[in-house]
Amino acid sequence: MISLHNVSKYYPAGFGKTYVLRNISLDISEGEFVSIMGPSGSGKSTLLHILGMLEEPSEGEYLFFDQPVQKLSEKRRTELHRNYIGFVFQAYHLIDELTVYENIETPLLYKGMSSSERKSRVAELLDRFNMVAKKDLFPTQLSGGQQQLVGIARAVASQPKVIFADEPTGNLHSDQAKEIMDLFKKLNKEDGVTIVQVTHSEVNAEYGNRILRLKDGWLESFPVSLESK
Ligand code: ADP
Ligand code: ADP
């Protein structure tokens, strides 16, 4: 489903370049739950943004459902983004001026869904995420955990194939973090949504079926044994 071939990302620095990602090759299959780990500054967010088509690689090739992302028209890429990809952010990125209901409805408006379809889809999501009683509240009236529930409801509203989540529980207490991680697990297991998350937490990483580790922009291609002799 996702395939990176020798992808690098660099920024100009003086007369040279600063590499943030170096020669990353990577395949992710439909239905996987992948965790990206690594120290601060190792390139995790950049990798996630490239996968989520929020940033472009400097070098190499990205295939998404066999389509060469960098060669697609802006229109086609936006279309792919709207229909196949959901993004969840650490700081939620909800629109403070919109209610819970309206935040969840936003991607459906962009998708051009009819008003009756939107109504039933948002109602279904509010019900599933236990947010019916909160539908008319604004994000600032919710706890962090509740805001992230809205963030996830919004991300899954258009029934994406894959959700990219950048430290989705980074701002939450551990009980709320568990609720959010259980929800991702359920979306993965029951709905078959592919999940790719960045996390600092080994506990959260264990929810997935595979851990990718980055260091200084390099991807470790095999598990490193702590007991190397
Ligand atoms: P992580 O998510 O692992 O903390 P990031 O992907 O956010 O790492 O960043 C990796 C490195 O890339 C950092 O050293 C950061 O300073 C650098 N970086 C990110 N964006 C830019 C940019 N627009 N210009 C220059 N350097 C950047
Ligand atoms: P967290 O940010 O870790 O989710 P908070 O300390 O923000 O938790 O919130 C704890 C509780 O306080 C939540 O159950 C939430 O419903 C309530 N709460 C938080 N902010 C507000 C607010 N602005 N108005 C009403 N209730 C709030």
Side-chain angles (χ1 to χ4, degrees), residues 124-222:
E124 181 192 318
L125 287 160
L126 286 168
D127 186 44
R128 174 162 190 190
F129 288 70
N130 283 322
M131 301 291 296
V132 175
K134 311 236 184 266
K135 71 183 174 60
D136 296 322
L137 296 182
F138 291 90
T140 52
Q141 296 174 295
L142 303 175
S143 75
Q146 290 162 348
Q147 288 185 59
Q148 194 58 297
L149 279 178
V150 177
I152 296 172
R154 178 182 61 181
V156 299
S158 51
Q159 298 181 298
K161 295 278 187 196
V162 52
I163 291 178
F164 297 104
D166 197 351
E167 297 201 49
T169 67
N171 290 0
L172 302 178
H173 300 305
S174 58
D175 52 337
Q176 293 173 326
K178 187 177 179 308
E179 189 186 338
I180 295 294
M181 291 312 302
D182 287 340
L183 181 57
F184 279 122
K185 184 92 191 169
K186 217 168 147 191
L187 287 168
N188 178 248
K189 280 263 178 275
E190 291 175 15
D191 301 48
V193 182
T194 306
I195 313 266
V196 183
Q197 67 162 346
V198 163
T199 182
H200 274 112
S201 150
E202 291 284 347
V203 174
N204 289 355
E206 294 294 333
Y207 277 79
N209 67 292
R210 179 152 63 118
I211 300 179
L212 301 172
R213 292 182 196 274
L214 279 174
K215 201 180 171 197
D216 300 330
W218 298 99
L219 188 63
E220 289 177 0
S221 54
F222 49 86

Side-chain angles (χ1 to χ4, degrees), residues 74-122:
E74 195 59 39
K75 184 165 173 280
R76 179 75 188 122
R77 214 176 328 185
T78 304
E79 216 173 87
L80 274 185
H81 206 271
R82 277 185 194 150
N83 292 299
Y84 290 82
I85 291 177
F87 223 97
V88 174
F89 302 91
Q90 176 172 1
Y92 327 123
H93 284 213
L94 301 175
I95 301 171
D96 281 342
E97 293 73 23
L98 300 182
T99 63
V100 164
Y101 185 102
E102 291 163 339
N103 267 283
I104 297 173
E105 187 183 31
T106 304
L108 305 178
L109 284 165
Y110 281 123
K111 217 177 157 171
M113 220 182 235
S114 75
S115 123
S116 62
E117 278 179 303
R118 289 200 308 271
K119 253 190 193 143
S120 72
R121 180 72 182 139
V122 176

